[in-house]
Amino acid sequence: MASGEHRRRLLVLKAFAGFRSCSAQPDAWHQYSAALPEYDLAPDAFMIAPGFDEWGEGAPRLARDPERWRTDVAAMVASNTRWQLVLTFNEWPEGTSVESAHEWASPSGYGSYLDVLHEALP
């Protein structure tokens, strides 16, 4: 960092019921849950999840669907929010990863979920 430059620190908090009505507001809000495919907290953040299959549970809370994922990525990009977040790159115990895997292998080697991100992100 050059002399005279200042780092800007941001306070970004996890959203909760009634978060917008709090008298003290952080710089932005986010959501960290993959139970839904999309969380739109505009203008702060837009989060997407490819799926949610908690290890040890009987069934996925959010089933994987590559076509829905494509639609969700497009919605995230179109949101123009400051923070655009993918839940998650490689959190395997919760089944939210987009990292390449045999189950969604693709000719690119990145896997179908990363392929969509490569195609859709500016």
Side-chain angles (χ1 to χ4, degrees):
M1 183 177 282
S3 177
E5 289 184 32
H6 298 283
R7 286 188 184 168
R8 177 150 190 239
R9 295 174 197 243
L10 299 174
L11 178 61
V12 180
L13 298 177
K14 185 176 186 253
F16 55 88
F19 70 98
R20 294 277 188 211
S21 62
C22 288
S23 60
Q25 291 287 312
D27 296 300
W29 295 96
H30 77 95
Q31 183 56 270
Y32 188 79
S33 173
L36 297 176
E38 297 179 356
Y39 290 91
D40 184 355
L41 300 180
D44 299 328
F46 197 103
M47 289 71 51
I48 56 175
F52 186 31
D53 189 4
E54 183 82 38
W55 185 84
E57 291 184 356
R61 294 187 206 178
L62 175 62
R64 285 183 174 268
D65 178 348
E67 288 309 310
R68 177 195 44 83
W69 174 251
R70 183 174 302 281
T71 301
D72 296 342
V73 171
M76 178 182 71
V77 171
S79 74
N80 292 316
T81 54
R82 294 184 340 176
W83 301 89
Q84 296 182 3
L85 309 169
V86 173
L87 306 171
T88 64
F89 182 75
N90 62 358
E91 192 164 344
W92 293 100
E94 290 187 353
T96 59
S97 58
V98 296
E99 182 179 30
S100 185
H102 292 294
E103 296 85 355
W104 50 85
S106 68
S108 72
Y110 293 113
S112 58
Y113 291 92
L114 286 177
D115 286 346
V116 170
L117 291 171
H118 285 156
E119 294 165 12
L121 296 177

